[in-house]
Amino acid sequence: MHECVTFINNYLHAPNASDEVIPDSPQWNISVVSHLVKPKGCVRNIRLSKQQITTAHWCVMINCTETEWYIETHRQQFAKIAPHGTDADRVASFLDHLPRWMLHLLQIHDPKYNREIQILASQPMMCTIFSQCEVNGVKFVTEHRDRIRKTQNSGVTCMAGDLTYYGILQSVVQLTYAERMPVVLFKCKWYNTDPTVPGSVQYNRGLTSVNTNSSWYDDFPFILATTATQVFYIDDPLAGEGWKVVNHMAHRGTFSEATLAKDDMTTPLYEVDEPYQEPDAICLPISELFINLGPVPFVNIPVYENEDEDEDDDYDEDEDSDDAEGFNNDLYSSDEDEDDEDDDDDDDDDDDDDSD
């Protein structure tokens, strides 16, 4: 009920309308750019290396739905040209060839040309590091800032294929391309959750426990901020030191500003998080549960049968009112008769006194 009232109130009054669209900010129609991602707290003493920026740029490319056709076409061509080439060679070849490819498509007026992909192909012009970020109303904080706080907002999880990855947020990275196109990424430390590796992850009674002393994908730590989901980690004393139980919390009262739009503009599904009541975060399976209530007193309450229970319930209201009037008249008349009898008794007593 509270979520419905909040949603309706914000829909009517639009308190965050000024935050949705910045007048001087260009509007992008590409999947990797979202106005629902708001990085905060610029960090000036941390810089990414050139190799890390290239890795982050490749993460943007492979997570952009608009570049899938270009990546697949280049993969097929690269397999013919360099059949023994490595994946690293193929990635480097694609990033180097894409700008020239897009320029050629523009010159021949090919319908495959996309202006926004051409901007992405031009490599990021600036890289900025932040300490926190708000994604769809959920606040993420880096591990460095989380250490001095009582709350925990640095746990991150995402899904890729059949695997679920768990980690901790280390940096919020914003790559700024030409014409101020911003793409926000999360740089994370990922725990090893490969089920084929012993000592990486445990599943016990519906709970997932990860080994925080392990690491995975050290060379590729980036994900899009829009694909991240927040989790919390709790110590697992049964598994031992360094093991944490993953707690998927349900964020109440959060919703996407896109759902408050007053026109019929369509919003990609990955950007919409409509308000709803989510179930509890953790459900502990209970096989048996015994509750000792102690001695319970027994009270025998007599039940009286109503003789008029089976009578017809259809009656006339006038008859009820007449009956009520008759009852009241009888009541009053009985009172008057009693008063008359009392007066007669008093007269008899007076007569007896006179006779005496």
Side-chain angles (χ1 to χ4, degrees):
M1 185 65 183
H2 175 71
E3 287 84 355
C4 294
V5 173
T6 303
F7 174 76
I8 294 173
N9 179 65
N10 289 325
Y11 180 83
L12 295 176
H13 301 286
N16 296 325
S18 60
D19 297 335
E20 290 188 11
V21 179
I22 302 174
D24 297 334
S25 177
Q27 301 302 306
W28 305 103
N29 186 25
I30 192 166
S31 60
V32 292
V33 180
S34 174
H35 70 277
L36 300 179
V37 180
K38 302 174 183 178
K40 301 177 182 178
C42 181
V43 180
R44 303 186 183 277
N45 58 349
I46 299 178
R47 295 289 185 270
L48 296 184
S49 65
K50 185 177 180 180
Q51 179 60 37
Q52 288 177 327
I53 294 177
T54 302
T55 304
H57 175 56
W58 174 242
C59 177
V60 174
M61 286 295 180
I62 61 177
N63 285 279
C64 181
T65 57
E66 290 81 2
T67 60
E68 291 178 356
W69 180 83
Y70 302 93
I71 294 176
E72 179 60 24
T73 303
H74 177 268
R75 186 189 64 81
Q76 296 175 2
Q77 294 176 354
F78 184 81
K80 296 177 181 179
I81 298 173
H84 302 292
T86 63
D87 290 339
D89 296 334
R90 178 177 58 85
V91 171
S93 174
F94 176 79
L95 296 179
D96 181 65
H97 177 66
L98 185 59
R100 298 193 302 269
W101 189 4
M102 297 306 301
L103 183 60
H104 174 70
L105 295 178
L106 174 62
Q107 293 174 349
I108 64 175
H109 302 285
D110 194 297
K112 291 291 185 181
Y113 169 77
N114 187 312
R115 171 178 166 271
E116 291 165 333
I117 295 180
Q118 185 181 16
I119 294 175
L120 286 180
S122 62
Q123 304 284 331
M125 301 176 60
M126 184 171 59
C127 177
T128 311
I129 308 298
F130 296 90
S131 61
Q132 57 182 313
C133 184
E134 184 178 317
V135 182
N136 288 345
V138 179
K139 182 179 180 181
F140 291 85
V141 178
T142 59
E143 180 188 17
H144 179 73
R145 293 195 60 179
D146 235 7
R147 291 175 182 173
I148 59 176
R149 298 189 175 189
K150 295 182 180 179
T151 57
Q152 184 184 147
N153 295 282
S154 58
V156 176
T157 181
C158 72
M159 291 192 63
D162 298 332
L163 287 179
T164 302
Y165 299 88
Y166 300 99
I168 207 82
L169 179 61
Q170 293 183 329
S171 300
V172 179
V173 180
Q174 177 175 289
L175 300 179
T176 304
Y177 293 84
E179 300 185 21
R180 295 182 297 170
M181 176 188 285
V183 180
V184 181
L185 305 171
F186 282 175
K187 181 177 181 289
C188 307
K189 175 190 175 183
W190 298 107
Y191 305 132
N192 194 339
T193 54
D194 188 353
T196 61
V197 176
S200 60
V201 63
Q202 295 182 2
Y203 302 98
N204 186 16
R205 296 182 177 271
L207 301 178
T208 302
S209 184
V210 296
N211 185 4
T212 59
N213 294 325
S214 63
S215 62
W216 208 13
Y217 288 98
D218 295 334
D219 297 333
F220 199 86
F222 300 99
I223 62 170
L224 281 179
T226 53
T227 62
T229 304
Q230 192 172 77
V231 294
F232 300 87
Y233 298 107
I234 305 173
D235 291 337
D236 188 353
L238 183 63
E241 184 180 357
W243 287 86
K244 302 282 186 180
V245 176
V246 181
N247 185 7
H248 295 265
M249 289 295 295
H251 297 279
R252 299 182 56 184
T254 62
F255 51 88
S256 169
E257 295 174 1
T259 60
L260 303 179
K262 296 186 179 299
D263 53 6
D264 293 331
M265 61 180 293
T266 58
T267 305
L269 294 177
Y270 59 84
E271 291 187 359
V272 175
D273 186 14
E274 296 184 357
Y276 63 97
Q277 178 70 44
E278 292 189 278
D280 294 336
I282 289 184
C283 238
L284 294 177
I286 299 176
S287 56
E288 293 182 353
L289 179 63
F290 298 96
I291 299 177
N292 185 10
L293 299 178
V296 180
F298 177 76
V299 179
N300 187 9
I301 302 176
V303 179
Y304 300 97
E305 295 183 357
N306 189 1
E307 297 178 355
D308 300 333
E309 205 175 47
D310 300 334
E311 294 184 359
D312 189 7
D313 292 337
D314 298 334
Y315 53 83
D316 190 1
E317 293 182 357
D318 295 336
E319 292 180 2
D320 285 347
S321 60
D322 294 341
D323 293 342
E325 260 180 35
F327 175 76
N328 292 333
N329 292 335
D330 294 342
L331 181 62
Y332 295 143
S333 62
S334 62
D335 291 341
E336 292 175 358
D337 294 342
E338 288 178 1
D339 293 339
D340 293 340
E341 290 177 2
D342 292 338
D343 293 339
D344 293 341
D345 293 339
D346 293 338
D347 293 340
D348 293 340
D349 292 338
D350 293 339
D351 294 339
D352 293 338
D353 294 337
D354 293 340
S355 63
D356 293 336

